[in-house]
Amino acid sequence: MAIERGFRAKLRYRANEFIGGGAGKQLLFLAVLTMALVVGFTLVGLVLGLGIEDGFSGSVVERAYEVSWFYFGRVIDSGTFTGDSGVGNRAISTVASILGVIVAGLLISALAGNFQQALEDIRKTGAPVMEDGHFLVLGWSEKIYSVIDQLAEAYAPKGRITVVVMAERDKVEMEEKLYDKVQYQHRVKLVVRSGSSVVLNDLAKVSFDRTQAIVVLVDDADVDDPDKADARIMKTLMAIFNHPDARGRTDGLRVTAEVMQSHNQELAIIASNHRARVVKTNEMISKIILQTARISGLSLVYDELLRFEGNEIHFKKIPPVVGRRFGEILLDFPNGMVVGIAKANGSGHTLNPPADHVIGPDEELLILAEDASVQHKPYAGPLSLASMPVLQSNAQKRVEHMLVLGWNPKIHPMIKEFDDYVAPGSTLTLVNNLPEEERATEISEKVGDVKTVQLRHLVGQFTSRHLMDQLGPQNYPLVMVLGDQVEGTSAEDADTRAIIALLLLRDARRRSGLAPNQRVCSEILDPKNRELAATTQINDIVISNEMVSMVLAQITYEPRVQAVLEDLLRSEGSEVYVKPIELYAPPGQPVSIEYLMLAAKARGELMMGVQIYEEAPEKKFGLVLNPMNRQAPFMPKPGDRVVVLAEEDG
């Protein structure tokens, strides 16, 4: 069918184009239409002698003005013609008033429609952000709530903070979820915008160049494709550090970003011109899960180390300790525990340095404390490091056998770390739905050669009672349950499968009676499922999304802590262990916290806390980091343990 292209069609096309051009053109059209009606009725009134009072003797111009004003009133206000007299005058006024009502209706409709459109635009995207010194979170994931809560806790002494969130989602939907799940709303002013972090104009709208800090999250929409997720992070960093609005000021931007694949970390750093802090969150959390599975109770230690509500690591310059040996200053801080040293210029650090290391003028102390107000008070005795006995330890790698239920990208660094930790003869049994050939390919590409550990594969659904009975999970000393997020499923689905697996493990232990001391660690993605998982008599629960949030918040608050946290999680050097108190305290004798601190250093370790065990989950089973009452003696009992930084588990 041929399209009409005549004059009328073109005129109609141009008219539609003009009227559809926005509120300004619509109002201009209605104004011109109103004036056209007034002019038309004025001409009619002049010809017919209507619209003026009898006996009017003014000039032609004055007559035209009076007639135009007369009909302008009829068009604008339909009630004015009721007092008119004469059949012709009333007829013309009635027509003018009717047309005026139509114009007024069009005007009201245009105003209402454009106002509604403006409200819809605000609802969907929002106006440009006019904030300064705010925190900007780019991307949307389940981690976002904990990130905001941890930032609010970190900056609580400074008052209420402003957090701007931008992601490619509906603005109202994001607001509803944030107001539902963010705990510390009284400490946070939340501003939400819908937009893309890789679009320069959208970044400008959230005043990224005026922020106090920026956190870039892996978006939940991309987690099924880690390389795609990391590529988006890289493009976001490029957009931030090459944006015209930040030209010449990028050195002042504090940006923390996460990547899923460890090999993408360096690429992301390059994309940011080496200015952003890029965290390999999957690798970091996988190491926490692995260490927690091997060392019962470690999840509680990391939970407090990474939360701002508890004790965290602070960088402190203490001039009076310069020139003194590290082993001499351990008891000099009544409300803190020294865990290392760091160069003041940020060029490096050492966890658990030798006791004879002399503190240099260019060095700061790494101190575990509740806040930065660490007190320095030289210790006057009577204990000394030189008088401490050194109890023997069994510092050698052990043969370990671990069962891993589930599969996600965290498994790759976990296999590599487990291979470094254990002695030859150790085994790692992997149970999940991924075909064995596909697993082998992934492990070969992303882990490399596994030299120490023998990998065993079982393909199947680990939530199946039949499969678990065949497997005999009660025979494994170590069991790890991963958040098994099959493509397209939610964190809630993964947590449900994990809890079912934990129930089957508990039932297998109960029926066999063979493994009362089996250590079980589970990854849970949603914090609200923590208590439910704990009912399965599990040793340790790692809330991975929450821990990622805490790591990102810690690094955002103090960028230098990134290297320290990464160092804590390496198999080389000093790591966090929870060891029996018998290794530090003479049997049958009361000891004090001060005694344990020096006894640990005599073994080449650093004490971070103590666990005077009690069966009370709400009290963290007696775990206390950086205990305050250090001189009062107590009698150790079986089950009590010491939290230390040490190079070996023994």
Side-chain angles (χ1 to χ4, degrees):
M1 180 178 178
I3 298 176
E4 182 186 353
R5 293 185 179 273
F7 174 77
R8 292 177 59 188
K10 291 181 179 179
L11 182 63
R12 185 166 56 251
Y13 169 75
R14 295 301 178 189
N16 291 342
E17 188 180 45
F18 180 84
I19 294 173
K25 291 183 178 180
Q26 292 171 4
L27 293 176
L28 177 62
F29 168 75
L30 291 174
V32 171
L33 179 60
T34 301
M35 290 302 102
L37 290 174
V38 171
V39 170
F41 284 113
T42 298
L43 293 175
V44 172
L46 289 173
V47 172
L48 299 179
L50 303 174
I52 56 173
E53 297 179 358
D54 294 337
F56 182 82
S57 59
S59 65
V60 174
V61 174
E62 291 174 333
R63 180 185 180 88
Y65 172 76
E66 289 296 325
V67 173
S68 64
W69 180 253
F70 178 85
Y71 284 112
F72 179 75
R74 271 62 183 169
V75 171
I76 294 300
D77 184 0
S78 60
T80 55
F81 80 96
T82 55
D84 294 345
S85 59
V87 175
N89 204 20
R90 287 177 176 177
I92 299 300
S93 294
T94 300
V95 174
S97 295
I98 291 172
L99 293 176
V101 169
I102 294 173
V103 171
L106 292 173
L107 177 63
I108 293 171
S109 176
L111 290 174
N114 284 290
F115 183 68
Q116 184 64 34
Q117 183 62 46
L119 288 179
E120 189 68 14
D121 291 341
I122 293 173
R123 188 186 75 86
K124 288 183 176 179
T125 58
V129 173
M130 298 290 115
E131 300 285 350
D132 284 291
H134 56 289
F135 295 87
L136 174 61
V137 182
L138 300 174
W140 185 269
S141 79
E142 289 296 318
K143 298 183 283 286
I144 195 168
Y145 316 112
S146 295
V147 167
I148 295 172
D149 281 331
Q150 289 301 308
L151 289 174
E153 182 65 23
Y155 290 88
K158 299 181 181 180
R160 197 164 181 246
I161 64 171
T162 299
V163 177
V164 178
V165 175
M166 185 175 76
E168 293 183 66
R169 277 171 171 72
D170 181 77
K171 177 176 177 288
V172 174
E173 178 186 347
M174 289 190 289
E175 286 175 337
E176 290 175 349
K177 290 184 176 180
L178 288 169
Y179 287 121
D180 181 49
K181 295 187 177 182
V182 172
Q183 296 181 18
Y184 299 138
Q185 292 184 29
H186 59 290
R187 299 179 185 172
V188 182
K189 174 186 175 183
L190 285 171
V191 180
V192 182
R193 293 293 181 265
S194 181
S196 172
S197 60
V198 300
V199 176
L200 298 183
N201 190 48
D202 287 351
L203 276 177
K205 288 181 179 179
V206 290
S207 299
F208 79 99
D209 55 321
R210 297 177 178 272
T211 58
Q212 185 166 340
I214 301 174
V215 180
V216 186
L217 299 177
V218 169
D219 200 285
D220 276 349
D222 300 326
V223 294
D224 290 334
D225 187 345
D227 284 320
K228 176 185 175 183
D230 289 351
R232 187 173 186 82
I233 296 294
M234 296 176 205
K235 289 192 287 186
T236 297
L237 294 176
M238 291 177 64
I240 291 172
F241 287 98
N242 294 282
H243 199 290
D245 290 356
R247 188 167 291 135
R249 295 182 290 113
T250 54
D251 287 342
L253 293 177
R254 288 175 52 191
V255 181
T256 305
E258 63 166 333
V259 291
M260 296 185 70
Q261 306 271 53
S262 59
H263 62 266
N264 288 327
Q265 182 187 38
E266 185 62 28
L267 293 175
I269 292 173
I270 293 172
S272 71
N273 298 326
H274 295 270
R275 290 180 171 90
R277 294 281 178 170
V278 181
V279 187
K280 301 174 287 188
T281 50
N282 269 358
E283 180 173 314
M284 187 172 284
I285 298 305
S286 68
K287 291 178 179 179
I288 290 177
I289 296 171
L290 176 62
Q291 289 188 15
T292 298
R294 297 179 63 248
I295 305 169
S296 179
L298 203 57
S299 63
L300 297 173
V301 177
Y302 279 120
D303 187 73
E304 180 163 348
L305 274 177
L306 298 177
R307 283 184 189 276
F308 284 103
E309 293 93 330
N311 289 274
E312 58 272 349
I313 295 174
H314 298 270
F315 292 73
K316 295 292 293 184
K317 183 76 172 178
I318 311 290
V321 304
V322 173
R324 297 181 63 192
R325 289 183 173 85
F326 184 81
E328 297 172 350
I329 66 170
L330 297 179
L331 303 182
D332 285 1
F333 302 93
N335 65 337
M337 287 187 160
V338 187
V339 296
I341 56 171
K343 294 293 184 182
N345 61 7
S347 61
H349 72 275
T350 303
L351 291 173
N352 186 23
D356 59 359
H357 174 84
V358 178
I359 310 297
D362 61 340
E363 291 179 337
E364 296 179 314
L365 297 181
L366 299 178
I367 302 179
L368 181 66
E370 287 190 358
D371 52 51
S373 57
V374 179
Q375 304 170 17
H376 176 247
K377 182 180 179 182
Y379 180 69
L383 300 177
S384 67
L385 182 59
S387 64
M388 287 294 112
V390 181
L391 302 181
Q392 294 298 316
S393 64
N394 182 24
Q396 60 182 4
K397 292 183 178 180
R398 303 191 306 265
V399 174
E400 299 184 16
H401 305 280
M402 180 181 288
L403 171 65
V404 180
L405 305 178
W407 182 276
N408 65 36
K410 302 183 189 74
I411 192 71
H412 306 125
M414 199 175 294
I415 293 173
K416 185 174 180 59
E417 286 295 306
F418 190 70
D419 193 52
D420 291 337
Y421 275 121
V422 298
S426 300
T427 62
L428 194 62
T429 303
L430 307 175
V431 183
N432 53 76
N433 276 330
L434 201 67
E436 187 174 340
E437 298 78 11
E438 191 173 337
R439 288 188 218 174
T441 301
E442 278 199 37
I443 292 172
S444 175
E445 292 176 352
K446 299 179 180 180
V447 180
D449 292 335
V450 181
K451 301 175 181 178
T452 306
V453 175
Q454 178 188 354
L455 295 179
R456 298 174 177 172
H457 297 277
L458 181 61
V459 178
Q461 181 55 264
F462 59 84
T463 56
S464 164
R465 175 66 174 269
H466 178 69
L467 178 68
M468 293 291 270
D469 285 345
Q470 285 183 323
L471 177 64
Q474 69 277 2
N475 297 315
Y476 291 84
L478 303 176
V479 181
M480 182 191 305
V481 182
L482 291 180
D484 189 53
Q485 278 191 281
V486 181
E487 184 175 352
T489 61
S490 65
E492 183 65 29
D493 293 333
D495 286 351
T496 299
R497 286 195 293 275
I499 290 171
I500 291 172
L502 293 173
L503 288 171
L504 292 174
L505 288 169
R506 184 182 67 179
D507 186 62
R509 291 194 301 271
R510 179 189 62 80
R511 288 186 292 125
S512 68
L514 296 176
N517 297 319
Q518 184 184 57
R519 291 207 297 272
V520 181
C521 172
S522 177
E523 176 189 16
I524 295 294
L525 302 177
D526 193 329
K528 74 174 186 293
N529 292 318
R530 180 203 303 263
E531 292 184 4
L532 189 59
T535 63
T536 62
Q537 299 174 4
I538 186 173
N539 300 98
D540 288 279
I541 300 172
V542 175
I543 315 296
S544 59
N545 281 340
E546 191 173 43
M547 282 202 169
V548 169
S549 305
M550 293 188 286
V551 167
L552 293 173
Q554 286 268 359
I555 296 171
T556 300
Y557 183 79
E558 174 50 83
R560 290 182 296 172
V561 83
Q562 178 182 0
V564 176
L565 294 177
E566 290 176 346
D567 197 7
L568 277 175
L569 297 171
R570 291 193 182 100
S571 57
E572 305 86 7
S574 293
E575 306 145 77
V576 181
Y577 290 96
V578 187
K579 300 185 179 184
I581 201 169
E582 292 84 4
L583 294 175
Y584 310 90
Q589 296 182 25
V591 294
S592 64
I593 297 297
E594 289 181 343
Y595 181 95
L596 293 174
M597 292 173 68
L598 295 180
K601 193 56 190 172
R603 285 168 45 90
E605 305 171 356
L606 278 177
M607 180 179 173
M608 301 174 68
V610 66
Q611 184 180 29
I612 309 301
Y613 189 83
E614 57 180 310
E615 192 64 42
E618 69 280 3
K619 296 181 180 179
K620 300 182 179 180
F621 301 99
L623 177 72
V624 179
L625 294 187
N626 184 28
M628 294 292 103
N629 190 6
R630 299 183 181 178
Q631 295 182 341
F634 66 95
M635 184 66 71
K637 63 182 185 300
D640 292 347
R641 299 191 294 174
V642 180
V643 183
V644 293
L645 270 179
E647 293 191 2
E648 299 291 346
D649 182 13

